[in-house]
Amino acid sequence: MAERTLHKTPGSLEHYLSDYESARQRFDWSESRRALTGSSDPHLNLAHEAVDRQVERGRADQIAARFLDREWRRVDVTYGDLQRHSNQFANVLRSLGIARGATIATLLGRVPELFSAALGAVKAGNVFCSLFSAFGPDPLKTRLQLGHVQLLVTTENLYRRKVAPIRSDLPELRSVLIVSEGTERKLPEGTSDFACLMDGASDAYQTTLTRDTDVALLHFTSGTTGKPKGVTLTHAAVIAQHATSQLVLDLHPGEVYWCTADPGWVTGIAYGLIGPLTCGVQLIVDREEFDPQRWYQILEEERVNVWYTAPTAIRMLMKAGTALTRERHYPQLRHMASVGEPLNGEAVLWGVEAFGMPFHDTWWQTETGAIMIANFAACDVLPGSMGRAVPGVEAQVVRRTAQGTLEVVESPEQVGEIALRPGWPSMFSSYLEDPERYRQSFLDGWYLAGDLARRDNEGYFWFVGRADDVIKSAGHLISPFEVESTLMTHPAVAQVAVIGVPDPIAGQAVKAFVELRSGFEGNDALRRQIMGHARRLLGAVVAPREIVFSDSLPRTRSGKIMRRLLRARELGLPEGDLSTLEGRE
Ligand code: WT7
């Protein structure tokens, strides 16, 4: 094992995790809960722990988050500011007659108002949902409807482009608050001004008494069907988000920490907001999109200590070249971690070449609510491996038996599904309106993650692939069916199948095979038109990057398109069992 191993980061939590096994044995979630809240009060509020508890601990004047804009203007928000702004937002909700438990959503870029709304909603006992601002009207409509969202905070620009066209399909959406970007003409009809309401609200609010099991957060993720999965997390999630922010990300009070994930996804909330605030760090939030030079400048000038990013970004930095990395210096940087997609061993080692330290891969999902498997700051890194189970988490690789039970795979050579033993505090509490699907995620006393992996004799997990058709492109989970459904709404499209194809930077790219209706000719103009249609309705992140016309898509006898076969053909892999293919006898 020695040659494959990269030794631990100096200065990290060695006292805690140098002996992984004994740390596991000593670990106890109820102790983590007490360490977080300082009591065993049965009431727990995720936003209260992130903000008010920090103010109680004397951090009112410490910077909680620094927002950077294109011109490198810094907007600093202290823990005291976060407390006041979240209180104001909680009061705004009450003044608008929004009842406790109702769902509040944001459709915003990375701006301070998103934090005020998220923390205020959760303090008020509401459910908070952050929607990714690059989504088009189609995915937004499905999610706002499924989430029964009653209040949305957005900008005028996003509202006009994406929400106004679907507003009449959203009868439950009572209020829309507009955050000013300084460029507005006048407030769109049926909306109110966010700043105006906030100014009129008191900045004192007694956090609503919530319990561990009350829902605090709603995140959408994609499955294989067209309907997105509404994953609910409870207030107890903060216990695991806090513990892993310490154990895995090694966050200490007062340090500068940069999570590059957008708050439109679970990572941007769990590790871009909640977990790190409970550790009393200073967050860096960049409002701009990825740009290698800008990112290096942020790491240097903001003196980032701990950096949590994603494989696609790392691969783009690698492509931009190490010479660029070396133009700047990062003496404060001491820990780098990655999440969201497979991190190649080469990328881990590139970290050593470029920054003098490896990237530490971590694995989790929206459903797990917090990091479950990780290369710990204080432990050796195995490049290419996702690491070992977090203390307090029992993770295994399992196989289904003929009896419908599960057995743990003992051989490190054998591939199986990642399974987690329920009992960690951030485990999802439901799939909205789909109790059946929730039940099906559990079998024989395990939660099944839907990922294939191997587990070696030392307990390190090695990612193999997904067990389903879901596409992962640049870290975003994309349902092939959701893309197919939107493509089907184009008048020229008769049938469509969408798959993920390998891409050196994004991991996977979305590719669509389209069968045209008779009377349409498959030429470039039509391809561009369908592409434009998809981008407008789905947003650029979800829309296919490539569309090819096909005369007949492979189908099963029951009429289901065989994405598996398309994928095998695309990749030059064996076509497998074709006994159900239509047209075969
Ligand atoms: C899926 C979950 C992780 C939180 C944000 C994404 C894939 C995640 C890794 C990793 C290989 C990974 C899995 C997982 N994934 N981390 N370190 N190596 N694959 O959450 O959108 O719910 O996606 O992302 O396939 O199931 P998500």
Side-chain angles (χ1 to χ4, degrees):
M1 178 169 126
E3 288 108 44
R4 296 184 299 160
T5 306
L6 289 170
H7 292 288
K8 50 198 168 210
T9 318
S12 53
L13 286 175
E14 291 186 35
H15 59 283
Y16 195 90
L17 271 178
S18 54
D19 183 356
Y20 173 76
E21 277 312 323
S22 73
R24 278 190 73 79
Q25 276 155 22
R26 267 179 310 177
F27 193 88
D28 172 45
W29 285 115
S30 53
E31 252 174 57
S32 319
R33 189 188 190 286
R34 260 195 309 279
L36 170 70
T37 64
S39 80
S40 28
D41 184 332
H43 297 105
L44 174 74
N45 185 289
L46 173 144
H48 191 82
E49 293 308 325
V51 177
D52 301 61
R53 191 79 67 196
Q54 304 310 312
V55 172
E56 275 171 26
R57 292 182 180 151
R59 303 202 169 110
D61 297 327
Q62 188 193 310
I63 299 175
R66 167 169 289 176
F67 294 81
L68 302 173
D69 74 2
R70 189 193 304 270
E71 283 79 38
W72 217 270
R73 276 185 301 245
R74 298 177 166 115
V75 172
D76 288 344
V77 177
T78 65
Y79 279 91
D81 293 333
L82 275 186
Q83 184 178 47
R84 285 184 290 275
H85 299 162
S86 55
N87 287 348
Q88 283 173 310
F89 189 74
N91 285 318
V92 166
L93 293 181
R94 289 299 164 266
S95 73
L96 293 173
I98 303 284
R100 175 181 175 167
T103 304
I104 309 305
T106 54
L107 177 68
L108 289 170
R110 293 178 285 273
V111 294
E113 290 84 352
L114 193 158
F115 284 17
S116 316
L119 296 163
V122 174
K123 270 176 150 179
N126 287 93
V127 178
F128 174 73
C129 172
S130 159
L131 295 163
F132 187 44
S133 60
F135 274 145
D138 272 11
L140 283 176
K141 182 166 89 181
T142 332
R143 284 158 179 79
L144 287 163
Q145 282 175 343
L146 183 58
H148 300 281
V149 173
Q150 292 193 14
L151 181 140
L152 176 71
V153 183
T154 185
T155 63
E156 188 206 39
N157 181 19
L158 290 169
Y159 182 79
R160 288 197 197 277
R161 278 173 31 226
K162 303 179 175 196
V163 186
I166 56 170
R167 179 93 191 246
S168 60
D169 299 318
L170 304 168
E172 290 174 287
L173 184 60
R174 297 171 47 168
S175 311
V176 175
L177 311 189
I178 300 291
V179 170
S180 164
E181 293 176 299
T183 52
E184 289 75 18
R185 288 149 290 175
K186 74 186 215 307
L187 274 184
E189 203 182 313
T191 68
S192 319
D193 184 58
F194 178 85
C196 213
L197 288 166
M198 290 285 278
D199 286 345
S202 156
D203 65 7
Y205 184 84
Q206 185 73 44
T207 302
T208 301
L209 292 177
T210 48
R211 289 182 181 266
D212 291 33
T213 49
D214 292 344
V215 174
L217 299 169
L218 167 65
H219 293 289
F220 287 101
T221 181
S222 296
T224 38
T225 71
K227 207 170 130 196
K229 299 189 279 189
V231 173
T232 58
L233 300 180
T234 65
H235 287 274
V238 68
I239 302 167
Q241 292 173 352
H242 173 70
T244 48
S245 293
Q246 286 190 321
L247 291 175
V248 181
L249 300 176
D250 197 15
L251 299 184
H252 296 276
E255 284 196 313
V256 180
Y257 162 74
W258 184 23
C259 168
T260 61
D262 190 273
W265 306 99
V266 70
T267 309
I269 298 294
Y271 297 104
L273 183 66
I274 306 298
L277 291 183
T278 65
C279 295
V281 302
Q282 179 202 308
L283 301 167
I284 295 294
V285 186
D286 184 27
R287 299 183 51 169
E288 291 300 300
E289 293 313 315
F290 173 84
D291 170 72
Q293 267 162 353
R294 184 176 169 92
W295 278 34
Y296 290 134
Q297 190 177 353
I298 293 176
L299 287 172
E300 179 181 67
E301 291 188 4
E302 297 305 326
R303 301 162 179 267
V304 173
N305 300 119
V306 179
W307 185 30
Y308 197 23
T309 188
T312 294
I314 298 170
R315 287 189 289 263
M316 291 197 283
L317 291 176
M318 288 169 74
K319 198 170 151 204
T322 313
L324 196 62
T325 326
R326 299 239 166 89
E327 283 177 13
R328 292 183 175 271
H329 300 280
Y330 321 97
Q332 280 82 12
L333 188 62
R334 64 167 185 80
H335 184 49
M336 314 197 295
S338 163
V339 70
E341 348 151 33
L343 182 69
N344 341 41
E346 303 85 78
V348 175
L349 295 168
W350 179 77
V352 178
E353 184 196 328
F355 294 96
M357 66 192 93
F359 285 100
H360 291 65
D361 195 11
T362 66
W363 176 94
W364 58 294
Q365 309 178 299
T366 309
E367 286 88 339
T368 69
I371 299 170
M372 296 284 110
I373 295 174
N375 285 282
F376 297 93
C379 299
D380 299 339
V381 173
L382 287 189
S385 156
M386 306 194 292
R388 289 179 288 181
V390 165
V393 172
E394 186 185 347
Q396 289 289 356
V397 164
V398 301
R399 285 176 88 90
R400 293 165 199 252
T401 66
Q403 292 74 43
T405 55
L406 294 178
E407 66 186 16
V408 171
V409 171
E410 299 295 345
S411 153
E413 308 309 321
Q414 245 191 3
V415 174
E417 235 181 287
I418 298 181
L420 304 164
R421 187 75 83 186
W424 75 95
S426 59
M427 188 178 89
F428 68 134
S429 58
S430 73
Y431 282 134
L432 274 190
E433 287 174 18
D434 208 343
E436 188 49 34
R437 206 167 185 179
Y438 187 72
R439 263 197 301 280
Q440 284 167 1
S441 314
F442 298 87
L443 185 65
D444 206 10
W446 293 92
Y447 163 69
L448 288 167
D451 278 355
L452 302 174
R454 269 190 283 266
R455 184 176 179 272
D456 70 19
N457 291 330
E458 280 88 42
Y460 283 84
F461 286 78
W462 301 79
F463 185 78
V464 171
R466 298 265 325 171
D468 56 24
D469 283 332
V470 177
I471 301 165
K472 191 114 216 201
S473 182
H476 305 308
L477 274 189
I478 296 170
S479 149
F481 194 86
E482 193 170 20
V483 179
E484 288 164 7
S485 306
T486 293
L487 286 172
M488 285 295 287
T489 64
H490 189 279
V493 175
Q495 281 293 343
V496 55
V498 165
I499 62 168
V501 295
D503 179 273
I505 299 291
Q508 283 190 301
V510 179
K511 179 166 181 174
F513 295 82
V514 169
E515 223 177 277
L516 293 173
R517 282 177 196 271
S518 57
F520 287 93
E521 197 199 324
N523 53 30
D524 273 348
L526 183 59
R527 183 179 298 114
R528 273 196 302 275
Q529 207 192 80
I530 299 174
M531 195 84 95
H533 175 81
R535 286 177 156 258
R536 193 158 36 79
L537 291 170
L538 291 167
V541 176
V542 184
R545 201 177 60 187
E546 197 185 343
I547 293 177
V548 294
F549 296 120
S550 154
D551 289 339
S552 76
L553 295 170
R555 277 194 206 93
T556 63
R557 281 168 227 233
S558 60
K560 255 174 98 177
I561 291 176
M562 292 179 89
R563 297 195 194 101
R564 174 174 63 82
L565 182 57
L566 280 172
R567 209 163 37 222
R569 287 180 182 164
E570 189 71 22
L571 305 181
L573 294 172
E575 296 193 352
D577 176 13
L578 297 180
S579 56
T580 59
L581 184 66
E582 189 190 49
R584 296 245 165 163
E585 288 310 328

